[in-house]
Each structure stands twice: as structure tokens, then as C-alpha cells.
Amino acid sequence: MPRPAFLSSPLTGARANGVCYLGAARARRKFELYYPDGFQDETYLIAERAYKERAHLEWHAELGPAEFRKLLARGEFRQIADAAIRIESRTNLLFSFEKMALRDALRSPAGARLFAHELYAFLYGRGSPQRKFEDWVQAVADLPQRQARVFTWPVVTVFGFIARPDKHLFLKPRVTRKAARGYGFDFGYQPEPSWSVYQGLLTFGAIIRRDLDRRPGFKARDMIDVQSFIWVQGSDEYDA
């Protein structure tokens, strides 16, 4: 599991488990440059949070645990796959080639069936977080592929993030790596999806959340706020 990097000065960083993150205060200031009221900022709510929260609420209405179970029991794998694709398509979380690869992968009955069963197990099933994540990773790797790759970190993590932002975090590799470097966190990224890297991502998210919690306006409601904070740190659109 990736471990936080020890940084030297306790004067300008935030502490988590005795570790000083030199970039924590700098990251918060960058966020405040665009959104002075933190996660309560009206512009932030419109620009970053609203569409992700809307996707989550739509998912909960159509593919919450009870409804998802009913669809599985009736063998409505195509309906599940179509709903998941439609809800995700209203966000800008995946690149266009990933959206196309996902649609292609779920076009066949076998792809839709595998996706539906394993996604339910990942989101709502029993078992350890590691086992459920690893089974889901294997399922995505086994989906049919045509021109574009479907087995990417964004595809692996997007549905957990939309469906369960209380637990899951979305990984956009370049943005997240840049944010982690600026923060001083040793992310330990690898391009092939794995539990060890995802566990490192969740650790990074937990550290950010803890560092921000006591700041006025910065108490994260869920992983949507945490992912948005990471996005502001690493995305080119927020480079002044």
C-alpha cells in the first residue's frame, strides 16, 4: 500500500498520523482562489458538484440496491447496462473514447450480463472491499473489446463513484498524480488497475478530507467534494 511521504517543515503543512503534508495549505489556497467559500461556494456547487450529484441521485432512483436486485432477478441485463451508460454519459468524467469503448463492450448480451452481475456485487454485495474491487477489476478486464480500450482506471472507478460517493473515489490518472505530487503524497500509481493503487487513492482522499474538515466551508459531504478538490489541483483548466 502506498505510504505518505514524510516532509520536513511542520510550519506550513497539515498533519495526518504525524506526517506533515507541505502542500496541504497550498492546495487549499488554490481551491479558494476559484471558490472562496470552499465546498459551500455557489459557483463551486454549479460548476463542479451539481452534475455529479445529479448523476448520483439518478443512479439511486434507477439502480439503487432494491431496484438493481429486481432487474437482476428478471434478467434485465440490457436495461441495467443501458441505464448505467445513460447516467454516466451525462457527466464529463470519462473521455469520449472510453464512453465509446464501454458502449461497444456492453453491446453483446454476454457483456451486459457480466457487467450487470459484477457491478451489483461490487456496489452492494457482501465481502471485503478488496475482494469486491478485485472481482470488479477482473470483470472489466474480461469485457469484450473492439477498437478502444475499456480496461482503464476511469472506467473501473466511475460507476462506484457515481453510485456510492459515500465510499468510492474516481481516478483520473494524470490529474490525480499531479494533485498528489503537489500535496506531497506518495501515490504509487500504476497504469493497470489494482487494489493496492486504489487503496492508495482512498488513503489520499481520507487525508485530504481530514486536513480540510476543520476549515470553515471545507467539511466534505462525500467523495464528490474530495474528487472535486483533487480535480482543481491537477486539471489544466485550473492552472492560472
Side-chain angles (χ1 to χ4, degrees):
M1 172 180 168
R3 292 187 301 167
F6 283 85
L7 301 177
S8 57
S9 170
L11 300 178
T12 54
R15 285 189 174 273
N17 293 331
V19 180
C20 179
Y21 290 91
L22 196 62
R26 184 168 58 245
R28 190 183 69 253
R29 288 195 298 270
K30 180 176 181 180
F31 195 92
E32 288 174 324
L33 181 65
Y34 296 94
Y35 305 119
D37 294 324
F39 297 140
Q40 304 301 322
D41 192 278
E42 289 187 12
T43 304
Y44 162 74
L45 295 174
I46 294 169
E48 288 293 341
R49 183 174 175 89
Y51 74 93
K52 300 166 191 171
E53 188 173 42
R54 188 162 53 245
H56 166 62
L57 294 174
E58 189 175 354
W59 186 285
H60 184 71
E62 295 193 40
L63 293 174
E67 185 58 30
F68 207 137
R69 254 192 325 270
K70 291 177 185 176
L71 292 171
L72 277 181
R74 296 200 298 262
E76 299 282 0
F77 311 125
R78 168 58 48 208
Q79 184 174 336
I80 292 168
D82 288 347
I85 289 173
R86 173 169 38 79
I87 293 168
E88 188 288 319
S89 71
R90 293 172 183 165
T91 75
N92 62 1
L93 295 170
L94 297 183
F95 287 124
S96 58
F97 78 86
E98 290 168 324
K99 293 177 187 285
M100 289 169 41
L102 189 58
R103 283 196 297 269
D104 286 344
L106 302 186
R107 206 180 300 277
S108 72
R113 180 189 178 92
L114 175 64
F115 175 84
H117 275 291
E118 295 302 327
L119 182 57
Y120 179 86
F122 172 52
L123 297 178
Y124 309 121
R126 296 180 179 179
S128 71
Q130 177 176 352
R131 177 62 182 271
K132 291 195 296 182
F133 183 80
E134 288 175 343
D135 287 348
W136 171 239
V137 165
Q138 187 60 56
V140 176
D142 289 343
L143 287 173
Q145 287 194 145
R146 295 189 182 182
Q147 297 295 326
R149 290 179 63 240
V150 71
F151 189 48
T152 68
W153 270 112
V155 172
V156 165
T157 56
V158 70
F159 295 112
F161 177 65
I162 291 173
R164 299 293 307 273
D166 58 323
K167 291 182 177 295
H168 291 295
L169 191 51
F170 177 63
L171 175 52
K172 202 81 161 176
R174 189 185 64 79
V175 167
T176 307
R177 293 166 71 192
K178 181 179 176 182
R181 283 195 303 270
Y183 211 88
F185 179 76
D186 184 10
F187 181 24
Y189 171 80
Q190 295 293 327
E192 182 160 324
S194 68
W195 169 249
S196 62
V197 175
Y198 189 62
Q199 192 175 31
L201 175 68
L202 295 179
T203 299
F204 183 35
I207 288 168
I208 289 172
R209 197 165 188 170
R210 183 164 49 197
D211 288 348
L212 294 176
D213 256 1
R214 296 182 180 179
R215 301 285 176 173
F218 274 100
K219 188 171 183 61
R221 286 159 284 233
D222 49 31
M223 293 295 198
I224 294 175
D225 287 336
V226 174
Q227 187 273 333
S228 298
F229 187 86
I230 292 172
W231 180 258
V232 170
Q233 307 310 312
S235 171
D236 290 342
E237 69 180 274
Y238 285 103
D239 281 343

